[in-house]
Amino acid sequence: MISEKRRTKSELKYATDQALPLPAINLYWELALPPGTNRDHRYSNPMVDGPHREKIKSLGRCLVIGFGGDPMVDKQQELVKMLALNGVPVEARFDDIGFHMIDLIDS
């Protein structure tokens, strides 16, 4: 889960999402982040500057899967761009149909 202080279009579009409404997202971050910080902390927003940025370059292969019905999809797409710009081998799959944390695999 990634976020930032500024609200993305997908977060605003799905603010009343049944699975992941905006108030729940806010609460998750309030409970997860160190006291006195906001969603622009490196724990929630890897795009911010900081010492973690150098370590990103040493990541191995990454797979990012996102769906149009997910409030996080805009940040996922930003993450893919940032990883690629840092030389991380990244495979990205985005589909208009799908939701947060729901993957159906046809065997």
Side-chain angles (χ1 to χ4, degrees):
M1 211 164 128
I2 55 178
S3 190
E4 67 179 85
K5 192 174 179 182
R6 174 189 61 89
R7 293 290 182 200
T8 65
K9 288 181 183 179
S10 60
E11 283 178 312
L12 295 173
K13 182 178 180 179
Y14 296 106
T16 58
D17 182 71
Q18 289 184 6
L20 197 61
L22 207 49
I25 293 172
N26 292 339
L27 181 60
Y28 295 154
W29 286 120
E30 184 180 328
L31 295 172
L33 292 172
T37 62
N38 61 37
R39 290 183 314 278
D40 279 332
H41 190 276
R42 68 179 191 238
Y43 292 173
S44 60
N45 186 0
M47 279 63 91
V48 297
D49 288 331
H52 66 286
R53 291 298 296 260
E54 277 302 309
K55 294 178 181 179
I56 288 171
K57 295 176 182 177
S58 64
L59 287 172
R61 287 186 325 177
C62 295
L63 172 64
V64 179
I65 300 173
F67 298 103
D70 187 342
M72 307 284 163
V73 72
D74 291 339
K75 289 305 289 180
Q76 292 167 340
Q77 291 172 340
E78 280 184 50
L79 177 68
V80 167
K81 289 177 188 173
M82 186 268 294
L83 291 172
L85 286 172
N86 281 281
V88 176
V90 59
E91 179 80 23
R93 304 290 172 129
F94 292 99
D95 196 327
D96 290 336
I97 310 238
F99 303 94
H100 185 80
M101 301 285 297
I102 300 173
D103 294 323
L104 299 175
I105 300 169
D106 186 10
S107 57

